[in-house]
Amino acid sequence: MPKPINVTQRAQDIKPFQVMDILSQGKILQVQGRDIIHLEIGEPDFLTPQPIINAAITSLNKGDTFYTPSLGLMALREKIAGWYQQQYGLDISPRRIVVTPGASGALLLVMGALLEAGKHLLMTDPGYPCNRHFARFVEASAVSVPVGADTAYQLSPQHIEKYWNQDTQMALVATPSNPTGTIIDKVGLKALSEAVKAKQGLLVVDEIYHGLNYDGVHLPSILEVDDEAIVINSFSKFFGMTGWRLGWVVVPESLEPVMDRLTQNLFLAAPTNAQHAALVAFDRDSLDILEQRREVFEKRRDVLLPALQEIGFSIPVKPQGAFYLYADCSKFLSDTMNNSMNLSRYLLQEAGVAITPGNDFGQHLADKHVRFAYTTDETRLMQAVERIHAALTKLSQKQ
């Protein structure tokens, strides 16, 4: 027997997604011939817009297969800066924009540069789980702040006052958020920024779902009210480029040298072909396609939300962004079906519908919540609801 290799404590502390167990079981069932409706993975079901694909092919044929500058193609940094002018009326220097291997690469750079070992990051519970793992990876720790419907599942100035201590350096919020799809309006962002500044801390805002906003609401960037905040963004969600692994971070210009050094050492540069493809992501042809898809996501939300509520799921805050519904499933729990993970497994086996248990997003009431991703078409969404309703009816008759 080979001798076991000891891994670091930090690696052991980084937990896998519970949803991957659901996904794996779903694939096994599919191999067995079952029809599985996937509402568990946060990935748009649309292909990357064709103009972006065409640009990638053209770039490869031209021989654009070499490294780019570490901070990204200047032409792409300029395009992103133009996006902030177009969308938010902000004059952002391209030098403040760092192109990264996905939003994950951006988060790793930010925490590596600005979060000291042993210090604390405040984030919501529920919240995107990788955020706390990034903090752990740089030998810091995340303080999970329990949030609920009263603050639309977002951090508030009151949370900052209550949970900030001498070891806290940073607060991280997402608007729209994963898993709840809720947003923070301009007034809320300003209040949050002022609360963090009063603690002499740093505010990082995840804006990767910007562009996927509904009900005609204006989705402000934190940079509209706080030019010193740090913004994480990505080409994965609104732009439909998940597999291209391309994101960006906007930082104060004084941080450009350290971001350059870290990027050189950790990644060298973001993928070259993805950068050339993204140059056309902001063109009119691409944006017209993306706007049509945004409208589709909004319609899906408007179909799935009331349908789930009608069969007994509680969703107290209507999400105005992203493509998720975070639902209280307490009505369906019992002594035998006692948590959201067991319920998710039951619905996969009995109904052929894959959803995400709340445990993936934290601990606060996680056993009583599940997440639905409306990343499939309306016909399949309604079919999923019908299957879930039938399975839950069957479950209640057994209890």
Side-chain angles (χ1 to χ4, degrees):
M1 291 291 290
K3 182 180 178 181
I5 299 175
N6 293 326
V7 300
T8 62
Q9 187 60 50
R10 81 171 67 88
Q12 295 180 49
D13 289 344
I14 294 175
K15 307 301 181 186
F17 288 148
Q18 298 286 338
V19 72
M20 298 312 292
D21 179 50
I22 298 291
L23 179 62
S24 177
Q25 291 181 45
K27 288 184 176 180
I28 291 172
L29 291 174
Q30 284 179 304
V31 169
Q32 296 172 353
R34 291 281 303 277
D35 176 41
I36 305 299
I37 301 176
H38 291 279
L39 307 183
E40 80 277 38
I41 300 300
E43 181 173 38
D45 55 328
F46 298 109
L47 294 176
T48 299
Q50 195 62 45
I52 298 175
I53 294 174
N54 292 344
I57 294 170
T58 299
S59 172
L60 287 174
N61 288 332
K62 286 171 54 183
D64 293 324
T65 60
F66 302 97
Y67 297 131
T68 71
S70 293
L71 297 180
L73 291 169
M74 181 51 72
L76 181 56
R77 297 167 74 189
E78 290 172 347
K79 285 272 190 176
I80 295 170
W83 179 246
Y84 281 93
Q85 178 63 53
Q86 177 183 335
Q87 291 295 106
Y88 311 105
L90 295 171
D91 185 14
I92 302 294
S93 168
R95 297 182 65 87
R96 296 178 58 185
I97 295 164
V98 179
V99 180
T100 60
S104 297
L107 281 161
L108 185 58
L109 286 178
V110 169
M111 294 196 191
L114 301 170
L115 189 58
E116 291 283 2
K119 298 300 183 180
H120 296 167
L121 159 76
L122 296 188
M123 59 174 282
T124 61
D125 182 351
Y128 183 57
C130 290
N131 293 337
R132 62 177 179 267
H133 296 154
F134 281 121
R136 177 65 186 92
F137 199 71
V138 298
E139 302 294 341
S141 60
V143 175
S144 296
V145 178
V147 294
D150 58 323
T151 62
Y153 302 98
Q154 296 283 1
L155 287 186
S156 68
Q158 291 73 29
H159 289 128
I160 300 299
E161 189 61 36
K162 181 177 180 179
Y163 289 92
W164 200 281
N165 63 34
Q166 63 182 7
D167 291 323
T168 309
Q169 281 191 307
M170 183 183 296
L172 171 62
V173 296
T175 173
S177 69
N178 177 10
T180 64
T182 61
I183 67 172
I184 307 176
D185 63 19
K186 196 168 186 177
V187 173
L189 285 173
K190 183 173 178 58
L192 191 61
S193 167
E194 290 173 350
V196 172
K197 283 185 174 182
K199 301 294 185 181
Q200 297 183 317
L202 181 66
L203 180 60
V204 180
V205 181
D206 175 343
E207 298 183 353
I208 72 171
Y209 292 98
H210 269 226
L212 294 173
N213 49 292
Y214 314 124
D215 303 323
V217 299
H218 168 65
L219 197 53
S221 171
I222 183 61
L223 297 174
E224 293 180 41
V225 297
D226 183 356
D227 193 54
E228 297 176 351
I230 290 177
V231 169
I232 306 292
N233 213 320
S234 171
F235 286 94
S236 290
K237 307 303 182 180
F238 173 65
F239 294 99
M241 297 177 66
T242 51
W244 302 75
R245 305 315 306 133
L246 196 66
W248 74 84
V249 55
V250 184
V251 298
E253 200 162 333
S254 62
L255 291 179
E256 182 188 15
V258 67
M259 301 304 271
D260 196 7
R261 291 200 308 273
L262 287 180
T263 302
Q264 291 168 13
N265 282 275
L266 294 176
F267 313 122
L268 204 144
T272 297
N273 190 236
Q275 291 189 60
H276 282 280
L279 285 171
V280 305
F282 304 101
D283 290 356
R284 188 72 266 157
D285 287 350
S286 298
L287 292 177
D288 286 345
I289 295 169
L290 295 169
E291 171 58 21
Q292 292 170 8
R293 294 177 178 183
R294 186 203 64 78
E295 293 174 356
V296 170
F297 279 123
E298 184 170 9
K299 289 177 181 177
R300 291 177 181 180
R301 180 205 61 172
D302 291 344
V303 165
L304 185 60
L305 175 61
L308 289 174
Q309 290 173 322
E310 186 174 342
I311 64 174
F313 288 94
S314 175
I315 306 170
V317 181
K318 183 180 182 181
Q320 293 184 295
F323 34 65
Y324 306 116
L325 297 174
Y326 194 63
D328 187 329
C329 58
S330 299
K331 178 179 177 179
F332 311 111
L333 301 181
S334 64
D335 291 341
T336 54
M337 187 65 65
N338 58 359
N339 60 57
S340 60
M341 185 64 189
N342 289 339
L343 182 65
S344 297
R345 287 172 174 157
Y346 171 76
L347 291 177
L348 178 62
Q349 291 290 337
E350 186 66 32
V353 179
I355 61 175
T356 309
N359 311 75
D360 262 352
F361 307 106
Q363 296 181 336
H364 180 57
L365 301 178
D367 282 346
K368 298 180 179 180
H369 286 79
V370 292
R371 189 194 73 177
F372 298 85
Y374 44 94
T375 50
T376 190
D377 64 67
E378 291 179 35
T379 300
R380 292 289 273 173
L381 290 176
M382 293 312 298
Q383 187 179 8
V385 172
E386 291 171 1
R387 291 185 187 182
I388 290 170
H389 188 209
L392 293 175
T393 300
K394 183 178 180 179
L395 180 65
S396 66
Q397 292 170 348
K398 288 182 179 180
Q399 295 171 351

